[in-house]
Short mmCIF file of all heavy atoms in Angstrom, two decimals:
data_model
loop_
_atom_site.label_atom_id
_atom_site.label_comp_id
_atom_site.label_asym_id
_atom_site.label_seq_id
_atom_site.Cartn_x
_atom_site.Cartn_y
_atom_site.Cartn_z
N GLN A 1 0.85 -1.18 0.00
CA GLN A 1 0.00 0.00 0.00
C GLN A 1 0.89 1.24 0.00
O GLN A 1 2.08 1.18 0.33
CB GLN A 1 -0.97 0.02 1.18
CG GLN A 1 -0.35 0.17 2.54
CD GLN A 1 -1.41 0.12 3.65
OE1 GLN A 1 -2.47 -0.49 3.51
NE2 GLN A 1 -1.12 0.75 4.78
N VAL A 2 0.29 2.38 -0.36
CA VAL A 2 1.05 3.62 -0.55
C VAL A 2 0.62 4.66 0.48
O VAL A 2 -0.58 4.86 0.71
CB VAL A 2 0.85 4.16 -1.98
CG1 VAL A 2 1.58 5.49 -2.15
CG2 VAL A 2 1.35 3.14 -3.00
N HIS A 3 1.63 5.32 1.07
CA HIS A 3 1.41 6.42 2.03
C HIS A 3 2.04 7.70 1.49
O HIS A 3 3.14 7.66 0.95
CB HIS A 3 2.07 6.10 3.38
CG HIS A 3 1.52 4.89 4.07
ND1 HIS A 3 0.67 4.97 5.16
CD2 HIS A 3 1.70 3.56 3.84
CE1 HIS A 3 0.37 3.75 5.56
NE2 HIS A 3 0.97 2.87 4.78
N PRO A 4 1.36 8.84 1.69
CA PRO A 4 2.03 10.12 1.40
C PRO A 4 2.95 10.47 2.59
O PRO A 4 2.63 10.15 3.75
CB PRO A 4 0.87 11.11 1.29
CG PRO A 4 -0.21 10.52 2.16
CD PRO A 4 -0.04 9.02 2.10
N ALA A 5 4.07 11.07 2.32
CA ALA A 5 5.00 11.46 3.37
C ALA A 5 5.78 12.69 2.91
O ALA A 5 5.68 13.12 1.75
CB ALA A 5 5.95 10.31 3.71
N GLU A 6 6.54 13.25 3.84
CA GLU A 6 7.41 14.39 3.52
C GLU A 6 8.81 14.10 4.02
O GLU A 6 8.99 13.49 5.08
CB GLU A 6 6.90 15.69 4.16
CG GLU A 6 5.65 16.25 3.51
CD GLU A 6 5.23 17.59 4.14
OE1 GLU A 6 5.40 17.73 5.37
OE2 GLU A 6 4.76 18.47 3.40
N VAL A 7 9.81 14.52 3.24
CA VAL A 7 11.22 14.40 3.64
C VAL A 7 11.84 15.79 3.55
O VAL A 7 11.37 16.66 2.80
CB VAL A 7 11.99 13.42 2.75
CG1 VAL A 7 11.39 12.01 2.86
CG2 VAL A 7 12.02 13.86 1.30
N LEU A 8 12.89 15.99 4.33
CA LEU A 8 13.60 17.26 4.30
C LEU A 8 14.82 17.14 3.38
O LEU A 8 15.67 16.26 3.58
CB LEU A 8 14.05 17.66 5.70
CG LEU A 8 12.95 18.14 6.66
CD1 LEU A 8 13.51 18.38 8.05
CD2 LEU A 8 12.29 19.42 6.12
N ARG A 9 14.87 17.99 2.37
CA ARG A 9 16.02 18.04 1.46
C ARG A 9 16.52 19.47 1.42
O ARG A 9 15.82 20.37 0.95
CB ARG A 9 15.63 17.56 0.06
CG ARG A 9 15.28 16.07 0.04
CD ARG A 9 15.07 15.57 -1.37
NE ARG A 9 14.74 14.13 -1.34
CZ ARG A 9 13.76 13.58 -2.04
NH1 ARG A 9 13.00 14.33 -2.82
NH2 ARG A 9 13.53 12.29 -1.97
N ASP A 10 17.73 19.67 1.96
CA ASP A 10 18.32 21.01 2.08
C ASP A 10 17.40 21.95 2.85
O ASP A 10 17.24 23.13 2.50
CB ASP A 10 18.60 21.59 0.69
CG ASP A 10 19.58 20.74 -0.10
OD1 ASP A 10 20.51 20.18 0.53
OD2 ASP A 10 19.43 20.64 -1.34
N GLY A 11 16.76 21.38 3.89
CA GLY A 11 15.89 22.18 4.75
C GLY A 11 14.51 22.44 4.19
O GLY A 11 13.70 23.12 4.84
N VAL A 12 14.21 21.91 3.01
CA VAL A 12 12.90 22.13 2.38
C VAL A 12 12.10 20.84 2.42
O VAL A 12 12.62 19.76 2.06
CB VAL A 12 13.09 22.60 0.92
CG1 VAL A 12 11.72 22.79 0.25
CG2 VAL A 12 13.90 23.88 0.86
N ALA A 13 10.84 20.91 2.86
CA ALA A 13 9.97 19.73 2.92
C ALA A 13 9.52 19.36 1.51
O ALA A 13 8.99 20.20 0.77
CB ALA A 13 8.76 20.01 3.80
N THR A 14 9.75 18.11 1.14
CA THR A 14 9.39 17.60 -0.19
C THR A 14 8.46 16.41 -0.04
O THR A 14 8.74 15.49 0.73
CB THR A 14 10.64 17.17 -0.97
OG1 THR A 14 11.56 18.27 -1.05
CG2 THR A 14 10.28 16.71 -2.38
N LYS A 15 7.35 16.43 -0.77
CA LYS A 15 6.38 15.34 -0.67
C LYS A 15 6.87 14.12 -1.45
O LYS A 15 7.38 14.24 -2.57
CB LYS A 15 5.02 15.78 -1.22
CG LYS A 15 3.88 14.81 -0.91
CD LYS A 15 2.53 15.38 -1.33
CE LYS A 15 1.38 14.44 -0.95
NZ LYS A 15 0.06 14.98 -1.36
N VAL A 16 6.71 12.95 -0.85
CA VAL A 16 7.11 11.69 -1.49
C VAL A 16 6.00 10.66 -1.32
O VAL A 16 5.11 10.82 -0.48
CB VAL A 16 8.43 11.14 -0.88
CG1 VAL A 16 9.60 12.05 -1.20
CG2 VAL A 16 8.29 10.91 0.62
N ALA A 17 6.07 9.60 -2.12
CA ALA A 17 5.18 8.45 -1.99
C ALA A 17 5.98 7.30 -1.38
O ALA A 17 7.09 7.00 -1.84
CB ALA A 17 4.61 8.05 -3.34
N VAL A 18 5.41 6.64 -0.36
CA VAL A 18 6.09 5.54 0.31
C VAL A 18 5.26 4.27 0.12
O VAL A 18 4.12 4.18 0.60
CB VAL A 18 6.29 5.82 1.81
CG1 VAL A 18 7.10 4.70 2.47
CG2 VAL A 18 6.98 7.17 2.02
N LYS A 19 5.81 3.32 -0.56
CA LYS A 19 5.15 2.04 -0.81
C LYS A 19 5.66 1.03 0.21
O LYS A 19 6.88 0.80 0.31
CB LYS A 19 5.46 1.57 -2.24
CG LYS A 19 4.67 0.37 -2.70
CD LYS A 19 4.95 0.10 -4.19
CE LYS A 19 4.13 -1.06 -4.72
NZ LYS A 19 4.36 -1.27 -6.17
N VAL A 20 4.74 0.41 0.96
CA VAL A 20 5.11 -0.50 2.05
C VAL A 20 4.50 -1.87 1.80
O VAL A 20 3.30 -1.98 1.48
CB VAL A 20 4.65 0.05 3.41
CG1 VAL A 20 5.15 -0.84 4.55
CG2 VAL A 20 5.13 1.48 3.62
N ILE A 21 5.30 -2.91 1.95
CA ILE A 21 4.84 -4.28 1.70
C ILE A 21 3.77 -4.67 2.71
O ILE A 21 3.79 -4.22 3.87
CB ILE A 21 6.04 -5.25 1.75
CG1 ILE A 21 5.82 -6.47 0.85
CG2 ILE A 21 6.33 -5.70 3.15
CD1 ILE A 21 6.07 -6.23 -0.59
N ARG A 22 2.82 -5.48 2.31
CA ARG A 22 1.73 -5.92 3.20
C ARG A 22 2.26 -6.95 4.20
O ARG A 22 2.95 -7.90 3.81
CB ARG A 22 0.60 -6.53 2.36
CG ARG A 22 -0.65 -6.92 3.13
CD ARG A 22 -1.74 -7.36 2.17
NE ARG A 22 -2.30 -6.23 1.46
CZ ARG A 22 -3.27 -5.44 1.93
NH1 ARG A 22 -3.78 -5.69 3.13
NH2 ARG A 22 -3.73 -4.43 1.23
N PRO A 23 1.95 -6.81 5.49
CA PRO A 23 2.45 -7.76 6.50
C PRO A 23 1.99 -9.19 6.21
O PRO A 23 0.82 -9.42 5.88
CB PRO A 23 1.85 -7.25 7.82
CG PRO A 23 1.48 -5.83 7.56
CD PRO A 23 1.14 -5.75 6.11
N GLY A 24 2.91 -10.14 6.31
CA GLY A 24 2.58 -11.55 6.14
C GLY A 24 2.31 -11.99 4.72
O GLY A 24 1.97 -13.16 4.48
N VAL A 25 2.50 -11.09 3.74
CA VAL A 25 2.13 -11.43 2.36
C VAL A 25 3.05 -12.50 1.79
O VAL A 25 2.61 -13.35 1.02
CB VAL A 25 2.13 -10.16 1.48
CG1 VAL A 25 3.53 -9.63 1.25
CG2 VAL A 25 1.43 -10.44 0.15
N ARG A 26 4.33 -12.48 2.18
CA ARG A 26 5.25 -13.48 1.63
C ARG A 26 4.88 -14.90 2.10
O ARG A 26 4.90 -15.85 1.32
CB ARG A 26 6.69 -13.15 2.03
CG ARG A 26 7.24 -11.88 1.37
CD ARG A 26 8.72 -11.71 1.66
NE ARG A 26 9.23 -10.48 1.07
CZ ARG A 26 9.26 -9.31 1.68
NH1 ARG A 26 8.81 -9.22 2.93
NH2 ARG A 26 9.74 -8.24 1.09
N ARG A 27 4.54 -15.03 3.38
CA ARG A 27 4.17 -16.34 3.92
C ARG A 27 2.90 -16.85 3.23
O ARG A 27 2.81 -18.02 2.84
CB ARG A 27 3.95 -16.25 5.43
CG ARG A 27 3.50 -17.57 6.08
CD ARG A 27 3.29 -17.38 7.58
NE ARG A 27 2.37 -16.31 7.85
CZ ARG A 27 1.04 -16.42 7.77
NH1 ARG A 27 0.49 -17.57 7.43
NH2 ARG A 27 0.26 -15.39 8.05
N ARG A 28 1.91 -15.97 3.05
CA ARG A 28 0.66 -16.37 2.40
C ARG A 28 0.90 -16.79 0.96
O ARG A 28 0.35 -17.80 0.48
CB ARG A 28 -0.33 -15.21 2.47
CG ARG A 28 -1.67 -15.48 1.77
CD ARG A 28 -2.47 -16.56 2.48
NE ARG A 28 -3.69 -16.86 1.76
CZ ARG A 28 -4.85 -16.21 1.96
NH1 ARG A 28 -4.92 -15.22 2.84
NH2 ARG A 28 -5.92 -16.55 1.29
#
C-alpha cells in the first residue's frame, strides 16, 4: 500500500510516496 509522506532536502519539505509491503504477504 502507498502512504504520502514528507522528507527534508536542504531544509525544504518535499512530498514523497512511500510504498510499504503488506504484512505476512510473503508467507501467504
Side-chain angles (χ1 to χ4, degrees):
Q1 67 182 27
V2 177
H3 297 255
E6 288 183 324
V7 299
L8 287 175
R9 293 187 180 135
D10 299 325
V12 178
T14 304
K15 191 173 184 180
V16 293
V18 184
K19 189 173 183 178
V20 185
I21 209 79
R22 185 174 287 276
V25 70
R26 292 188 182 91
R27 178 181 55 80
R28 177 67 183 272

